[in-house]
Amino acid sequence: MTFETWDGDDESAAGRFVPLYVLVNGRTAPRDSTLDLATQVVALPVDTRGLEPEYVEIVRRCANWISVAEIGAYLHLPLAITKVMVDVLIEQGYLGAGTPAQRNIVDLHLLDSVLAGLERL
Amino acid sequence: MDRTSVKIVVAGGFGTGKTTLVASVSEIPPLTTEEILTEASIGVDDTTGVEGKTTTTVALDFGRITISPDVVLYLFGTPGQDRFWFMWDELAQGAVGAIVLVDTRRLESSFAAVDYFERRGIPFVTAVNRFFGECAYTDDEIRSALELDSRVPLVWCDARDRDSSKLALITLVRHAMARLRVRAGSVPVAP
Ligand SMILES: Nc1nc2c(ncn2[C@@H]2O[C@H](COP(=O)(O)OP(=O)(O)OP(=O)(O)O)[C@@H](O)[C@H]2O)c(=O)[nH]1
Ligand SMILES: [Mg+2]
């Protein structure tokens, strides 16, 4: 799913800002990273001993399913950096990823259960 | 073993009660995550010398509601400064839809949010936050001031009140479902 970029009356200085292009472990954050900030991840039963401490800390946070946004908030990491680090951990098999929000936008059955969940609140 | 994420965006002008609404229904106190932004003129492939360039931080608040053992709903409030469209795109992508909060003392401050979701065809409902009880406007006056499509639901709410915020969320999910059904039903029949 793609989005047109904003073409409205955005002449302000802030309109020129984009997320800082980060470099983590020799990788740069893809502008179109498929990892959504609501996507949840979970630690896989893998030995984390060769990992750098910052990565171990993320894996520890993922003992239970947790979203990319929550990891960033708890570890005080900017979102773009959190995404790249989580991406690295998924790629290397330390974390498993759940179903991202994007795929379900047309899923009436899922929306039905969300509705029921909200009504129960 | 899987875990599905569902997103809803809580938008609106500056100070319209976005964080308050998220807080009133979230099962955890709202969390804040930050994005460090840098000037786009640097170019996306240039990762050198970033230190010297202008950067700014934009914060977003979010909360969560566990729907079932395998589905979690995340509620993301848009950044207070609605100029950071880049962040809106990230939040809106894959979202069920949005609640656009409106403060009747400053109707125009939510105009950009209405416009944003309308242009992209993202389902949204307007929730008029009753800040101080009585409101001088009728539904129709608010609708015409915001140039709302007649199909967009309008609810009145008190963002501090859990049941009221819940109702706004339920109205949005129903609206999104109704739109999906209309779409499914309107698929042209092959000749
Ligand atoms: N009386 C009343 N006050 C409210 C209501 N909703 C929010 N407030 C207050 O209005 C102020 C702004 O609310 P926030 O929830 O911070 O608004 P916001 O949209 O998140 O603000 P920004 O993120 O800065 O744009 C706070 O002091 C809230 O306590 C309401 O329904 N009634
Ligand atoms: Mg706020």
Side-chain angles (χ1 to χ4, degrees):
Chain A
M1 179 171 203
T2 55
F3 278 72
E4 58 179 292
T5 46
W6 175 252
D7 56 0
D9 55 341
D10 197 9
E11 298 297 298
S12 63
R16 299 200 313 269
F17 284 94
V18 296
L20 185 62
Y21 207 62
V22 288
L23 191 66
V24 181
N25 261 15
R27 284 185 39 156
T28 48
R31 278 290 301 276
D32 56 350
S33 169
T34 52
L35 197 57
D36 184 74
L37 76 180
T39 299
Q40 296 168 78
V41 293
V42 71
L44 297 175
V46 173
D47 186 356
T48 56
R49 273 175 296 180
L51 273 179
E52 290 158 60
E54 308 82 61
Y55 284 87
V56 173
E57 217 178 322
I58 292 181
V59 176
R60 276 213 199 106
R61 278 276 162 191
C62 303
N64 294 308
W65 286 99
I66 185 172
S67 64
V68 172
E70 284 166 289
I71 295 170
Y74 289 128
L75 298 180
H76 303 289
L77 289 170
L79 262 184
I81 293 175
T82 313
K83 278 194 191 173
V84 190
M85 293 180 76
V86 169
D87 246 349
V88 167
L89 288 168
I90 292 171
E91 203 176 272
Q92 299 187 356
Y94 292 96
L95 297 180
T99 308
Q102 275 89 330
R103 293 206 211 135
N104 308 300
I105 201 159
V106 293
D107 186 342
L108 265 176
H109 184 72
L110 179 76
L111 290 183
D112 228 351
S113 63
V114 170
L115 187 60
L118 288 172
E119 278 163 350
R120 272 195 308 272
L121 273 190
Chain B
M1 180 179 70
D2 196 13
R3 191 70 168 230
T4 300
S5 299
V6 178
K7 283 201 287 189
I8 286 179
V9 180
V10 180
F14 190 75
T16 47
K18 303 178 291 288
T19 304
T20 306
L21 186 142
V22 170
S24 74
V25 282
S26 175
E27 67 199 21
I28 51 166
L31 294 169
T32 303
T33 178
E34 295 194 330
E35 189 69 289
I36 301 170
L37 305 178
T38 185
E39 273 188 283
S41 56
I42 293 169
V44 293
D45 290 316
D46 183 4
T47 56
T48 58
V50 160
E51 319 74 32
K53 305 288 166 78
T54 319
T55 60
T56 186
T57 300
V58 55
L60 32 115
D61 304 318
F62 63 98
R64 56 177 279 166
I65 297 172
T66 301
I67 296 292
S68 68
D70 49 3
V71 178
V72 177
L73 168 63
Y74 286 94
L75 304 174
F76 287 97
T78 54
Q81 314 93 313
D82 58 11
R83 310 166 289 173
F84 295 114
W85 300 111
F86 187 93
M87 294 302 299
W88 286 58
D89 291 346
E90 163 133 36
L91 297 178
Q93 206 150 132
V96 169
I99 291 176
V100 175
L101 277 161
V102 174
D103 178 344
T104 53
R105 295 164 299 179
R106 296 173 294 121
L107 287 177
E108 69 293 343
S109 79
S110 292
F111 191 78
V114 167
D115 189 46
Y116 180 93
F117 296 109
E118 217 149 54
R119 275 170 188 252
R120 286 161 181 76
I122 296 169
F124 70 99
V125 301
T126 39
V128 185
N129 203 354
R130 285 183 202 275
F131 272 86
F132 298 101
E134 287 306 300
C135 166
Y137 304 101
T138 62
D139 282 24
D140 284 345
E141 284 167 334
I142 291 170
R143 282 183 177 281
S144 82
L146 290 172
E147 293 171 29
L148 276 190
D149 184 300
S150 61
R151 286 161 297 189
V152 174
L154 184 149
V155 294
W156 290 81
C157 80
D158 180 330
R160 299 163 302 176
D161 181 68
R162 183 179 163 86
D163 285 334
S164 173
S165 302
K166 201 177 116 175
L167 181 68
L169 288 169
I170 289 174
T171 306
L172 170 64
V173 176
R174 288 199 180 176
H175 178 55
M177 290 174 81
R179 281 197 13 166
L180 274 182
R181 290 206 181 93
V182 167
R183 285 219 183 134
S186 68
V187 173
V189 183

